[in-house]
Amino acid sequence: MRNIWIIAGRELRRYFVSPVAYAVAAMLYLILGVIFFINIYFGLQTGQINPDGRMVMGPMVTILLFVAPALTMRLIADEARMGTLELLLTAPVRDWELVVGKWLGVFGFMVGVIAVTWIYPLILHRMTNPGIDQGVLITAYLGLVLLVGSMLAVGVFVSSLFDNPMAAFFTTLAILLGLWVISGLGSGAGTASEIIRYLGIVDHYYDYLYRGIINLPDVVYFLSLTSLALFLGTQAVESRRWR
Amino acid sequence: MIEVEGLTKYYGLHPAIQDLTFRAETGEIVGFLGPNGAGKTTTMRILTGYMPPTSGTARVAGFDVLEESLEVRKRVGYLPETVPLYPEMTVVEYLEFMGSLRRVPELETRIEEVLERVDMLERAESYIGSLSKGLRQRVGLGQALLHDPEVLILDEPTIGLDPAQIIEVRNLIQDLGADHTVMLSTHILSEAQQVCDRVMIINRGRIVAEDTPANLQAQLAGAEQILVRAAAEARDLVPLLRAVNGVVEVKPTEHEGEVEVRSAPGQDVRPLVARAVVEADLDLLELRSAGLSLEEVFLQLTREDAGTEARAEG
Ligand SMILES: Nc1ncnc2c1ncn2[C@@H]1O[C@H](COP(=O)(O)OP(=O)(O)OP(=O)(O)O)[C@@H](O)[C@H]1O
Ligand SMILES: [Mg+2]
């Protein structure tokens, strides 16, 4: 267990000195800031500000689709490329501890980045009367964190398959996009369509959690996807030893 | 302690090592000598728990590398061939990270000790990315020593170091060899000869020779070889010298009046040969020992072996 924290802590520190991580975070805040400003600006024009703290969350999900692959791409692929994976795989660390530690590091960083966006609903809350519904907001953020956790886990898994971070980036992006659009294919009735709809990642967020309702099947979906991806990542790291 | 039996590793259909069997005791420095692609790194990767063997067993510090990999990894210090470093970390940060993964007690003190040993104290706060190749090699070595492991596995530890540092590191290895098990790989024969208690020569995935450097040299040379030149026809010299006690073989060389004499191992036949020539009333022009250097032995051995295999395949 302690190994997980050591690895996660190192990754976290690495993000804080990484220009890429800062660029990613800055881009996120910039885009959200512009969207927020436009919303408020037109709200003031019409004299009617929509007291919905989630105005930044919809776009954030789209941005995260690109942020998740960018932040996870080098987690394991780069260690393999640099030869440092040999160091970690000959240290007394279990393969799953390595994978979970890597995920926890990037997850912790992203939770921090997302937490800062709370500032937009906070401003909105001050500007409106009676303010915004905190329950809905908190649930929507909780859902976002679950969603991000599973997206990052997919990224960690894919990174464990490659020796090249760019390959990991595009593959993760493709998988996440696939999970995003797949629910569109399951529009008909029948078990097959239902399964396809269940696989789609964003519906599990928008249908309930985004609206402020904690729907257990959706929570289970995100936790399962996270666990599955981390499990597959562990298998992939282990299989590297057999190559 | 390292105990290896019948170790075999295939990459796909290609055997990298085949049926290796050897031991290394505590307090012993074992050298792994072989040309490129011989299987040195592969063997070391198996011993450090990085990859499993295809078949055979290996026990390191009393634990099976496959079944008790984690226990093995706790007790092994490993310097891989490509030194695994994080360029964006400082030397100290790097050692702190590895030391905490290895649960090194009193880490700060230990890091200082190790940095002193590899002569890196002044560069402790430098970013690894800014270090030269040799300095990086030292950091890698420091990482391998950090947890004071029972068994040290060093893949080409002196590569890229300057001559002064090579001596330092060799001394360090000999120091450590007193109460650790050390296994190192090298291409440099003189290094194996100087540092190791025992040398294994590996070629094409098989151990082709194993002994102390001194014995190896004698054994591999097969026998003492001497060259004799006299003012006579070689065909007269051959029967004359063949009769000398201790001589195994006499062959004319391409030079006029010169023969090559091979004797049984450990026997110096030079005085007898000289006397035989003189007593036959011939003028002895030259008599010199032509014992093979370990270098020549090594080349011959690895070449011969390659030849045999090529023939077997063809
Ligand atoms: N990951 C791998 N996949 C496939 N083949 C490999 C792999 N690693 C090594 N080999 C092959 O296994 C054989 C032994 O390689 P190894 O790296 O163990 O040699 P070595 O003795 O360390 O050589 P060197 O002196 O060049 O470091 C070589 O033929 C090599 O091509
Ligand atoms: Mg090698």
Side-chain angles (χ1 to χ4, degrees):
Chain A
M1 273 312 272
R2 224 177 101 195
N3 289 333
I4 296 177
W5 293 111
I6 295 166
I7 289 166
R10 192 186 91 77
E11 274 325 313
L12 200 57
R13 251 171 279 136
R14 190 136 87 149
Y15 283 119
F16 279 105
V17 296
S18 151
V20 176
Y22 276 105
V24 164
M27 183 200 70
L28 181 76
Y29 295 142
L30 187 72
I31 295 173
L32 296 185
V34 168
I35 290 167
F36 183 72
F37 174 78
I38 290 171
N39 266 296
I40 298 289
Y41 182 76
F42 284 106
L44 287 173
Q45 299 266 298
T46 57
Q48 182 77 41
I49 297 175
N50 181 16
D52 186 350
R54 297 168 303 174
M55 64 173 61
V56 293
M57 300 185 94
M60 190 147 50
V61 172
T62 314
I63 299 168
L64 290 177
L65 186 68
F66 296 91
V67 167
L71 287 181
T72 52
M73 63 180 183
R74 35 150 287 277
L75 279 176
I76 294 172
D78 213 35
E79 302 256 8
R81 192 174 59 87
M82 308 260 303
T84 45
L85 197 60
E86 190 166 355
L87 183 73
L88 297 175
L89 294 187
T90 54
V93 177
R94 292 175 182 84
D95 293 354
W96 69 266
E97 291 176 323
L98 174 67
V99 172
V100 174
K102 290 276 180 185
W103 171 79
L104 196 63
V106 66
F107 182 63
F109 178 74
M110 269 320 287
V111 168
V113 168
I114 290 172
V116 174
T117 67
W118 200 285
I119 196 163
Y120 300 117
L122 212 64
I123 294 170
L124 201 63
H125 187 62
R126 290 289 180 97
M127 290 176 79
T128 50
N129 198 358
I132 58 184
D133 185 334
Q134 297 292 330
V136 172
L137 187 67
I138 288 168
T139 312
Y141 263 105
L142 174 78
L144 194 63
V145 164
L146 285 170
L147 173 67
V148 165
S150 56
M151 287 168 120
L152 294 173
V154 170
V156 170
F157 162 53
V158 172
S159 182
S160 71
L161 295 173
F162 289 96
D163 288 2
N164 176 341
M166 275 332 270
F169 175 85
F170 286 111
T171 308
T172 307
L173 187 62
I175 291 177
L176 292 180
L177 273 174
L179 285 174
W180 191 301
V181 299
I182 195 171
S183 48
L185 301 173
S187 49
T191 335
S193 295
E194 258 174 50
I195 290 173
I196 288 173
R197 271 203 304 278
Y198 183 76
L199 289 178
I201 193 166
V202 280
D203 293 352
H204 287 282
Y205 178 56
Y206 283 121
D207 286 356
Y208 291 99
L209 286 158
Y210 181 68
R211 301 193 174 140
I213 304 159
I214 298 178
N215 181 37
L216 202 59
D218 293 335
V219 174
V220 168
Y221 170 86
F222 287 125
L223 295 181
S224 315
L225 181 56
T226 306
S227 318
L228 177 69
L230 294 180
F231 172 76
L232 292 176
T234 306
Q235 297 301 308
V237 168
E238 202 180 309
S239 81
R240 279 178 177 277
R241 297 175 182 274
W242 293 89
R243 279 186 213 165
Chain B
M1 195 165 64
I2 301 171
E3 301 156 277
V4 170
E5 223 183 294
L7 209 62
T8 301
K9 170 76 189 181
Y10 277 81
Y11 291 111
L13 289 175
H14 168 80
I17 55 168
Q18 286 181 71
D19 202 23
L20 297 192
T21 300
F22 62 87
R23 286 172 66 91
E25 307 293 335
T26 307
E28 194 175 29
I29 304 173
V30 175
F32 224 30
L33 198 63
N36 292 133
K40 302 181 294 291
T41 299
T42 302
T43 309
M44 293 184 150
R45 284 182 162 173
I46 294 170
L47 294 180
T48 51
Y50 177 68
M51 52 161 74
T54 309
S55 64
T57 58
R59 295 178 76 80
V60 175
F63 295 93
D64 188 281
V65 291
L66 200 58
E67 306 295 328
E68 298 150 307
S69 170
L70 226 48
E71 296 303 317
V72 169
R73 287 187 252 159
K74 277 181 198 164
R75 290 165 177 81
V76 172
Y78 178 35
L79 175 67
E81 190 169 31
T82 39
V83 185
L85 300 169
Y86 298 105
E88 80 285 356
M89 281 179 146
T90 67
V91 174
V92 165
E93 280 169 359
Y94 172 70
L95 293 178
E96 277 170 350
F97 174 55
M98 289 317 295
S100 54
L101 280 181
R102 291 189 171 279
R103 312 275 186 278
V104 175
E106 297 181 47
L107 188 53
E108 298 309 314
T109 331
R110 179 64 190 158
I111 287 175
E112 214 157 290
E113 266 172 43
V114 164
L115 286 177
E116 176 147 28
R117 274 206 122 154
V118 296
D119 196 15
M120 282 294 291
L121 264 180
E122 319 89 85
R123 303 302 298 268
E125 300 299 333
S126 301
Y127 282 97
I128 291 171
S130 73
L131 297 178
S132 70
K133 180 170 160 46
L135 297 181
R136 289 178 197 208
Q137 186 79 13
R138 293 194 226 169
V139 178
L141 194 60
Q143 169 274 130
L145 301 177
L146 194 57
H147 50 295
D148 194 20
E150 268 172 62
V151 177
L152 269 165
I153 295 184
L154 311 172
D155 204 348
E156 300 180 19
T158 56
I159 204 158
L161 298 178
D162 62 50
Q165 198 58 35
I166 287 181
I167 295 171
E168 291 272 305
V169 168
R170 284 180 189 164
N171 288 342
L172 174 63
I173 290 171
Q174 282 187 314
D175 253 20
L176 292 163
D179 50 357
H180 295 72
T181 310
V182 183
M183 182 166 178
L184 61 91
S185 75
T186 176
H187 299 127
I188 311 165
L189 281 145
S190 59
E191 177 163 289
Q193 234 164 337
Q194 273 176 37
V195 179
C196 302
D197 302 316
R198 204 145 50 82
V199 176
M200 285 183 281
I201 297 182
I202 179 174
N203 189 40
R204 299 200 153 204
R206 291 180 186 279
I207 295 175
V208 291
E210 178 190 345
D211 214 323
T212 60
N215 279 354
L216 206 56
Q217 191 162 4
Q219 176 197 328
L220 290 177
E224 291 295 320
Q225 278 195 35
I226 46 181
L227 282 175
V228 179
R229 201 151 63 84
E233 293 279 317
R235 62 169 184 273
D236 296 332
L237 280 172
V238 173
L240 176 74
L241 296 180
R242 205 166 266 163
V244 172
N245 209 353
V247 169
V248 177
E249 200 190 344
V250 184
K251 265 195 318 215
T253 71
E254 61 261 38
H255 299 291
E256 182 62 35
E258 192 180 74
V259 291
E260 200 180 275
V261 177
R262 280 163 65 95
S263 65
Q267 230 173 318
D268 192 356
V269 293
R270 277 175 299 181
L272 294 177
V273 166
R275 193 176 304 160
V277 174
V278 175
E279 279 174 1
D281 226 4
L282 298 169
D283 292 328
L284 182 60
L285 299 176
E286 192 181 355
L287 187 149
R288 65 188 159 91
S289 172
L292 297 176
S293 74
L294 194 48
E295 202 104 13
E296 287 167 306
V297 167
F298 171 72
L299 286 175
Q300 190 180 317
L301 206 82
T302 48
R303 203 182 309 122
E304 258 175 25
D305 199 61
T308 323
E309 250 184 57
R311 248 173 278 132
E313 278 164 18

